[in-house]
Amino acid sequence: MSKKVGIGIAAAAVVVVAGALGTSYYMGGKLEQEFTANLPKLNMNGVTVKVVSYERGAFSSTARTSWTMEGSDEPVQFMADHRISHGPLPMGHAAQIHTSFQLPADADEALKTALNGRSPLEVDTKLGWGRSSSSVMTSPAVTAHVKDSDVNWGGMKVEWDMPADMKAAKGTAQFAALHFKDEEGSAGMDKAQMRFDIKQPEGQKFWVGPFAMTIDKLSALKQEEEGKTSASSFEGITMDSDTKLDGDVVEMTLKSGIKSIKLEDAKADDLLLDMSFHNLDASWINNVIDMSKRKSDSSDEGEASDDQEPDLREKLMSSLTQALARKPSIDINRVSMRTEDGVSEFGASLSYIGDGQKMGNLLKDVKLSLKADVPSKALDSFMVSRKKNALLAVFEGESEYKPEDIEETAKLQAQASVQALKEKGILLEKDGKLNTQIVYANGEIQVNGKTLDDTGTAVLMGEALE
């Protein structure tokens, strides 16, 4: 190799290194500007974030932030340390940020011991050249005795991707378990998972997209008097929802299920909820969000919210005409469950059928439908329980009424109510099941395809409003 070639290679190497150093330092400066400007934007719902320090280097920087959570008691403050790597170029991305949250100074000593120097929450973020990001948030498993309670936290892992404008998020979340136990009882959650792919449409204040969640089990056990216990559990919980923006209206679907429920001595399986929302005006939803945010901000600042929101209330009411003109509706397509008495099924729908111009006709411009198909034994049990609760509320504190007397009276009242509903054709009995289909439209009630007379209406409304 000639001397000139060697000098040329060396010079090129110097240029490359200098360029890498310059690019890294430039990226460090840009990141510092964005970090100090954007992080405080996380302030919301009683959480205040402040940048305490930022030290920039050629290839990496460090920062420290404080997080304050306001609550009914004293504010809770904790710190977060950030290690920011922004060079050189071979990393394949613009920067990588590692964030470690620290426990508050006054945190329980048992929790500090259980963590053994580990951060309770860490976040690793890779920042792309176009400012898109990919993040992983983790929390370690912890077992400790905190404030008279045994706590078992199985840890979590959340992964998500976001574009540069941070108006979308796609990812998954996994939670191993969370259990509490003290002298009064216990409560726990076993294995929860989530997945989401949501975004905020341009010009809108709400988010759209699918969201799903599963929980293996929720349980609780409470110690009662005389050594007795009360237990409840929910197993096989699922939820799937999807929200879409179609022009100027929002459509939403929600399906939820529980494989098994146990409440004291009662048990039900295969619970299902399937509902949907149609033709919801996007502008009206934005106004509702503005109103809610204004109320929240006013409460946080201790202001009288009634004096701060007349403009929003007027805006909300003025947009109601347009919202109603979209003919919004809510459909409960199916609610069902299986008990030892059989399968019970329900459905309902509420829709606006007017033009939104005459608010005085609101009741006549609403259509409501309800259908039910319930085993006779299940309806009898429900009616007895309802009547019994009503009697207990009336005679609360009056010891001269024995529990067995109240139980017997509740059974008699339930039998009378069911019989009256049958006589008026509101309940139809077939094959050990009672079913009904009720429709209210144009100010008129129809039951099972027939117009309900005044007496029948009085019986129906009496039971509904009891």
Side-chain angles (χ1 to χ4, degrees):
M1 180 185 292
S2 68
K3 184 177 181 180
K4 288 184 177 180
V5 172
I7 293 174
I9 292 175
V14 170
V15 170
V16 170
V17 171
L21 284 169
T23 301
S24 178
Y25 193 77
Y26 171 77
M27 286 301 302
K30 295 291 290 182
L31 284 170
E32 180 180 4
Q33 293 175 14
E34 294 181 7
F35 187 91
T36 55
N38 291 332
L39 201 62
K41 293 180 181 179
L42 295 175
N43 294 350
M44 63 178 67
N45 297 327
V47 178
T48 302
V49 186
K50 293 182 179 179
V51 179
V52 177
S53 64
Y54 196 106
E55 297 182 7
R56 177 158 57 99
F59 295 114
S60 63
S61 302
T62 59
R64 191 169 176 81
T65 56
S66 70
W67 300 64
T68 304
M69 300 177 63
E70 301 289 343
S72 56
D73 299 324
E74 291 294 321
V76 176
Q77 185 180 67
F78 50 93
M79 309 299 291
D81 296 314
H82 312 269
R83 298 197 311 270
I84 306 164
S85 175
H86 43 75
L89 296 179
M91 288 193 306
H93 46 263
Q96 184 165 336
I97 304 173
H98 178 81
T99 299
S100 298
F101 288 88
Q102 310 302 324
L103 286 175
D106 59 351
D108 194 285
E109 290 298 326
L111 184 56
K112 293 180 181 179
T113 301
L115 282 168
N116 194 26
R118 297 173 297 172
S119 168
L121 187 67
E122 297 188 8
V123 184
D124 280 296
T125 300
K126 292 181 179 179
L127 190 64
W129 293 103
R131 293 300 186 272
S132 62
S133 63
S134 179
S135 301
V136 179
M137 179 169 63
T138 57
S139 175
V142 174
T143 299
H145 186 76
V146 180
K147 294 182 178 179
D148 301 324
S149 296
D150 292 323
V151 181
N152 182 3
W153 166 239
M156 73 171 185
K157 184 177 182 180
V158 184
E159 302 177 84
W160 72 97
D161 298 323
M162 296 184 73
D165 60 7
M166 296 188 293
K167 292 187 176 182
K170 180 179 182 180
T172 61
Q174 299 178 4
F175 305 87
L178 177 61
H179 292 272
F180 294 92
K181 184 179 181 180
D182 59 23
E183 61 181 10
E184 294 183 357
S186 62
M189 177 196 74
D190 294 332
K191 193 179 179 181
Q193 298 183 7
M194 294 188 299
R195 67 178 187 274
F196 49 91
D197 186 2
I198 57 176
K199 65 179 181 180
Q200 187 176 23
E202 185 175 356
Q204 309 296 343
K205 299 181 180 180
F206 52 85
W207 293 67
V208 300
F211 174 87
M213 177 185 70
T214 62
I215 301 176
D216 278 10
K217 186 177 182 179
L218 292 174
S219 60
L221 179 68
K222 185 178 179 180
Q223 297 291 339
E224 303 286 357
E225 296 179 356
E226 300 178 356
K228 296 181 179 180
T229 61
S230 62
S232 61
S233 66
F234 303 78
E235 296 187 43
I237 303 170
T238 62
M239 187 186 79
D240 284 274
S241 69
D242 195 7
T243 304
K244 298 179 180 180
L245 177 63
D246 184 8
D248 295 325
V249 297
V250 174
E251 306 281 323
M252 179 181 176
T253 58
L254 172 64
K255 292 184 179 182
S256 181
I258 303 176
K259 188 63 178 176
S260 178
I261 287 182
K262 293 180 181 179
L263 297 173
E264 301 296 342
D265 297 328
K267 184 179 183 297
D269 298 311
D270 302 326
L271 281 84
L272 172 68
L273 169 63
D274 181 356
M275 63 186 303
S276 54
F277 301 80
H278 304 284
N279 300 324
L280 305 182
D281 184 65
S283 297
W284 195 77
I285 295 175
N286 288 329
N287 290 337
V288 171
I289 292 173
D290 279 339
M291 174 71 80
S292 299
K293 186 176 184 303
R294 183 75 66 86
K295 282 182 176 294
S296 177
D297 292 343
S298 298
S299 298
D300 291 341
E301 297 172 7
E303 298 176 355
S305 59
D306 290 341
D307 296 333
Q308 302 295 320
E309 297 152 4
D311 56 327
L312 279 177
R313 285 200 301 271
E314 183 178 347
K315 190 176 182 181
L316 199 63
M317 292 305 298
S318 64
S319 63
L320 184 58
T321 298
Q322 175 179 294
L324 291 174
R326 306 279 189 196
K327 299 188 183 301
S329 66
I330 302 174
D331 296 322
I332 301 177
N333 303 308
R334 185 182 180 189
V335 177
S336 64
M337 64 178 176
R338 180 168 55 86
T339 65
E340 60 182 6
D341 296 322
V343 177
S344 300
E345 297 187 55
F346 306 88
S349 176
L350 176 64
S351 59
Y352 181 79
I353 57 177
D355 57 11
Q357 299 299 316
K358 298 178 181 179
M359 297 302 294
N361 292 339
L362 186 60
L363 290 179
K364 288 188 176 181
D365 290 340
V366 170
K367 181 178 179 180
L368 172 65
S369 63
L370 172 69
K371 59 182 180 180
D373 189 23
V374 185
S376 298
K377 290 183 178 180
L379 183 61
D380 289 341
S381 298
F382 170 77
M383 293 294 284
V384 169
S385 176
R386 185 182 180 195
K387 299 294 184 180
K388 181 179 177 180
N389 290 333
L391 289 170
L392 289 173
V394 172
F395 300 126
E396 184 178 6
E398 298 186 25
S399 59
E400 63 267 24
Y401 294 98
K402 297 179 180 179
E404 55 268 28
D405 293 337
I406 291 179
E407 182 78 25
E408 184 62 28
T409 302
K411 288 181 180 180
L412 293 173
Q413 289 183 351
Q415 291 172 3
S417 292
V418 172
Q419 185 61 34
L421 291 169
K422 288 180 180 180
E423 290 176 354
K424 292 301 176 183
I426 298 172
L427 289 178
L428 303 179
E429 188 169 14
K430 183 179 180 182
D431 299 329
K433 301 188 83 174
L434 293 167
N435 60 74
T436 187
Q437 186 166 359
I438 303 170
V439 177
Y440 170 81
N442 301 314
E444 181 181 87
I445 299 177
Q446 285 196 341
V447 177
N448 301 317
K450 298 179 180 179
T451 301
L452 196 63
D453 60 25
D454 292 341
T455 306
T457 300
V459 171
L460 177 61
M461 297 305 294
E463 290 297 327
L465 298 175
E466 183 180 48

